[in-house]
Amino acid sequence: MKYLLKNLKHYKKESILAPLFKMLEALFDLFVPIVVSDIINVGIGNRDNVYIVQRCGILVLLALIGICCSFTAQYFAARASVGYAAMLRHALFAHIQKLRFSEIDTIGTSTLITRMTSDINQVQNGINMVLRLFLRSPFIVFGAMIMAFMINVKVALVFLAAIPVLSVIIFGIMKITSPLYKKIQGKLDGVLGITRENLTGVRVIRAFGKESSEADRFESSNGQLTSMQLHVGHISALMNPLTYVVVNLAIIAILKMGAVQINSGILMSGDVVALVNYMSQILVELVKLANLIVLLSKAMASLHRIQDVLDTEPSMKFNENADTRQPEKTENQGDEAVAFENVSLTYAGAGEESLTGISFCAGRGQTIGVIGGTGSGKSSLVNLIPRFYDATAGEVRVMGRPVQEWKKEELRSNVSVVMQKAQLFTGTIRSNLLWGNQEATDEELWKALETAQAAEFVHAKPLGLDEPVEQGGRNFSGGQKQRLTIARALVRQPDILILDDSASALDFVTDAALRKALAALPGNITVFIVSQRTSSLKHADRILVLDDGQLADQGTHEDLLQRCEVYREIYESQFKKGEMH
């Protein structure tokens, strides 16, 4: 609720004017039965056609004023609800950007997408309807009751009895359905998660012929969502018939009591018609209020889900007041670029450590290879250097300073990472490369492309650097995407470059040319190459061999062949024994 009030305060004027004009519209609606009563009692009773036409003109005027008030109210309600939703979406997106990998892993991508889209739309619709109806409907209900008492106190007691019964029905059903709507949104997360998996992994699904089983899995999850929606729908559906029964019983009572009053000369027939009209107005407004409460229940459930994300605090805090100067070298550090001291890492919710007791030191200008079996912790290790995750034990230093003492911008500008999965963004080749450095010149872009072995195919494109990049880079091959992402990282001109298995789609010739170009880069750039290929790491200054989260050994290619069984097994699986040296 605090986020609702926090953002709505920017739309105070709209939030006041929208219900105000709706109440004005409701006020004019309350005059209508009185005018109709006069037409029946006076105009028709006295056969005064002029009076009837005059009163009909008043009805038309009331309708026109009511329409103007309604349009004005809708305008302000739309401004407030759409503006609030825009601010909430911006705040949620900005907060998600602050979350670390561990929080995003825990919450889940599909859930975040649902909350950014469906949940915020539900909140927007809820605010719109609240501003339009939340005051109007009670105003009509109590206004109609007051008008009924002004006509006849005895008959108006029917209103006094019917309204509490209707309120119990409406709010009782709301109390039952409100928590169920939150569960429905949770089921929607599951359906979205399956959909996302199937769309991103469609090639794998087809390759293994799993279309039918995945369709069954989706149908099962979607069936659970549908079943729960129907269950809530059945409960909500009770609202209209129950309210209609109560209102119609009240109308019967009004007609019966009104007939007695007419016979006694206390009431006129037009007054009874006015009372019935007021009861009908109450029925319509209570049905609107019931539907509003259902919508409001959905909106509140969605707002709580959004609030859960906004209340999730980033587990990782950066030192924004850190000294950005390079630390003085000590005897122990020398030309240290990256150092791990007894580092361990356990992911959130994991049962055991992914990395255990890792210690090594990488010098400035060195090339460090990282190799190991699947799940050995290669990506986990390099993700600690730019501080995507925090080590749960030990210390990670970059340029002689613990990573916790770096400003985020300074650390990320010193360390460039090329992820396992090549990711390009909609735009052009130029716009993607400029992610590395917005101020980079064309000469610097082409230089990065040449180092990444991407200049040749970019030159071949009709528009060169301005060649369009479609969503996810789908108009490029896997190897081309990998080379462009490497070029993007090089544009930043970092002190530390991490290639996390980012050359897996390259052939051996291109891979060798890439490594040669990286080795020829000016300056003391430290390169970490994570790879499954021993040939890609053969010429590294040091190779780290990981086995089940532990550092099995470290050294040069020749040294590891002699003494490290894990490395030798990997090498022999890729080359014949006779080719080992």
Side-chain angles (χ1 to χ4, degrees):
M1 187 61 70
K2 62 181 179 181
Y3 296 105
L4 180 64
L5 299 176
K6 179 181 176 182
N7 289 325
L8 267 183
K9 71 179 182 181
H10 297 285
Y11 296 93
K12 284 182 181 177
K13 181 182 73 174
E14 290 83 354
S15 299
I16 294 171
L17 290 176
L20 179 62
F21 276 95
K22 268 297 177 182
M23 289 175 69
L24 285 174
E25 178 197 0
L27 182 63
F28 292 120
D29 286 347
L30 290 174
F31 290 146
V32 170
I34 296 295
V35 177
V36 172
S37 174
D38 288 342
I39 290 174
I40 294 171
N41 292 337
V42 179
I44 296 176
N46 298 330
R47 296 183 179 181
D48 187 343
N49 292 329
V50 175
Y51 186 87
I52 293 173
V53 171
Q54 288 175 345
R55 288 298 181 270
C56 286
I58 293 174
L59 289 176
V60 172
L61 181 61
L62 289 174
L64 291 174
I65 296 173
I67 289 173
C68 291
C69 290
S70 178
F71 284 165
T72 306
Q74 178 57 52
Y75 170 75
F76 287 120
R79 275 183 59 89
S81 59
V82 173
Y84 170 82
M87 294 183 69
L88 184 61
R89 190 176 286 109
H90 182 272
L92 183 59
F93 184 81
H95 186 75
I96 290 172
Q97 295 301 314
K98 294 177 184 177
L99 296 179
R100 308 308 172 210
F101 281 20
S102 55
E103 286 89 36
I104 293 175
D105 292 343
T106 302
I107 298 172
T109 306
S110 59
T111 300
L112 292 174
I113 293 172
T114 305
R115 299 184 194 197
M116 281 284 295
T117 53
S118 174
D119 284 331
I120 289 183
N121 287 340
Q122 291 276 23
V123 173
Q124 177 182 321
N125 292 335
I127 291 174
N128 193 336
M129 295 302 291
V130 164
L131 293 177
R132 289 168 55 197
L133 298 177
F134 199 67
L135 290 181
R136 173 198 157 87
S137 293
F139 184 80
I140 287 281
V141 171
F142 291 106
M145 186 173 68
I146 292 169
M147 298 297 283
F149 271 97
M150 291 175 65
I151 294 172
N152 186 279
V153 174
K154 189 174 181 180
V155 178
L157 292 175
V158 175
F159 287 75
L160 202 60
I163 290 174
V165 175
L166 291 168
S167 300
V168 169
I169 293 171
I170 291 168
F171 288 100
I173 291 176
M174 182 192 72
K175 188 175 181 180
I176 296 170
T177 57
S178 182
L180 293 177
Y181 284 117
K182 191 170 184 178
K183 292 182 180 179
I184 286 174
Q185 289 298 109
K187 291 290 183 184
L188 183 61
D189 288 344
V191 172
L192 183 62
I194 293 173
T195 305
R196 184 173 177 272
E197 283 182 354
N198 276 265
L199 291 176
T200 55
V202 63
R203 289 180 173 84
V204 178
I205 292 169
R206 291 178 180 176
F208 284 88
K210 290 288 185 179
E211 293 94 338
S212 298
S213 62
E214 287 301 307
D216 292 339
R217 188 162 76 101
F218 178 84
E219 186 176 348
S220 173
S221 180
N222 192 46
Q224 293 177 14
L225 173 63
T226 304
S227 176
M228 185 167 285
Q229 285 177 322
L230 288 173
H231 175 60
V232 178
H234 291 154
I235 297 173
S236 299
L238 293 172
M239 194 174 293
N240 283 359
L242 289 176
T243 52
Y244 270 100
V245 167
V246 173
V247 169
N248 282 304
L249 288 174
I251 289 174
I252 292 170
I254 289 170
L255 291 174
K256 184 176 180 180
M257 294 175 68
V260 173
Q261 297 275 1
I262 290 171
N263 287 334
S264 303
I266 300 172
L267 277 178
M268 299 181 69
S269 56
D271 296 333
V272 175
V273 171
L275 289 168
V276 171
N277 280 340
Y278 282 128
M279 183 56 71
S280 298
Q281 281 189 351
I282 289 174
L283 170 61
V284 171
E285 292 304 322
L286 284 175
V287 170
K288 286 182 182 178
L289 185 61
N291 292 328
L292 170 64
I293 290 171
V294 170
L295 187 61
L296 187 59
S297 300
K298 294 180 181 178
M300 290 305 297
S302 294
L303 186 60
H304 286 310
R305 283 162 49 81
I306 295 167
Q307 186 173 325
D308 288 342
V309 178
L310 291 171
D311 287 341
T312 302
E313 290 294 331
S315 58
M316 190 183 299
K317 301 293 184 182
F318 281 88
N319 185 5
E320 297 306 323
N321 297 318
D323 184 4
T324 59
R325 293 174 298 174
Q326 293 291 334
E328 294 182 9
K329 300 175 189 176
T330 65
E331 266 184 48
N332 294 331
Q333 290 170 348
D335 286 331
E336 174 188 296
V338 175
F340 278 51
E341 287 189 5
N342 201 28
V343 170
S344 298
L345 172 65
T346 304
Y347 289 109
E352 57 185 23
E353 292 181 332
S354 297
L355 293 175
T356 305
I358 305 293
S359 295
F360 71 89
C361 180
R364 304 187 192 199
Q366 286 188 334
T367 297
I368 307 298
V370 184
I371 196 169
T374 303
S376 60
K378 301 185 296 297
S379 294
S380 298
L381 184 144
V382 294
N383 281 336
L384 293 174
I385 299 172
R387 208 184 171 201
F388 293 151
Y389 296 92
D390 264 337
T392 48
E395 182 181 71
V396 180
R397 293 196 302 273
V398 173
M399 300 301 175
R401 185 189 301 129
V403 288
Q404 290 82 2
E405 295 182 7
W406 284 83
K407 287 185 179 181
K408 183 172 70 173
E409 292 76 13
E410 292 292 331
L411 180 61
R412 300 288 163 78
S413 65
N414 275 276
V415 183
S416 279
V417 184
V418 184
M419 302 288 190
Q420 284 181 324
K421 183 180 178 182
Q423 181 65 57
L424 297 176
F425 298 89
T426 305
T428 63
I429 292 176
R430 184 194 304 276
S431 68
N432 274 270
L433 294 179
L434 288 176
W435 275 55
N437 179 8
Q438 291 293 327
E439 306 299 325
T441 63
D442 281 8
E443 182 182 351
E444 290 172 328
L445 298 182
W446 282 113
K447 187 176 179 181
L449 288 168
E450 287 171 5
T451 303
Q453 309 304 303
E456 183 179 351
F457 77 80
V458 174
H459 272 302
K461 298 290 183 183
L463 299 177
L465 288 173
D466 295 311
E467 184 71 17
V469 176
E470 295 181 9
Q471 185 180 19
R474 61 190 177 197
N475 55 328
F476 293 91
S477 68
Q480 289 174 336
K481 286 195 288 186
Q482 284 192 337
R483 282 177 280 174
L484 287 174
T485 54
I486 293 171
R488 180 173 60 197
L490 290 170
V491 168
R492 178 171 283 183
Q493 299 179 356
D495 293 321
I496 299 169
L497 175 65
I498 299 172
L499 304 179
D500 187 4
D501 205 15
S502 53
S504 57
L506 304 184
D507 58 74
F508 285 97
V509 175
T510 307
D511 186 21
L514 172 63
R515 285 186 282 108
K516 185 178 179 181
L518 290 174
L521 286 173
N524 288 329
I525 180 171
T526 303
V527 181
F528 281 80
I529 302 176
V530 178
S531 179
Q532 299 284 3
R533 299 175 182 172
T534 53
S535 60
S536 298
L537 309 178
K538 201 172 181 179
H539 303 289
D541 297 303
R542 181 179 304 168
I543 301 172
L544 309 178
V545 183
L546 296 180
D547 184 31
D548 196 22
Q550 297 183 350
L551 186 59
D553 206 343
Q554 57 179 309
T556 63
H557 171 72
E558 289 76 14
D559 292 340
L560 292 173
L561 280 179
Q562 296 297 323
R563 69 170 186 255
C564 183
E565 184 179 346
V566 175
Y567 185 78
R568 188 164 54 249
E569 286 178 359
I570 296 172
Y571 185 81
E572 289 176 356
S573 69
Q574 298 172 7
F575 297 93
K576 295 178 182 178
K577 287 189 178 182
E579 300 174 355
M580 284 181 60
H581 300 288

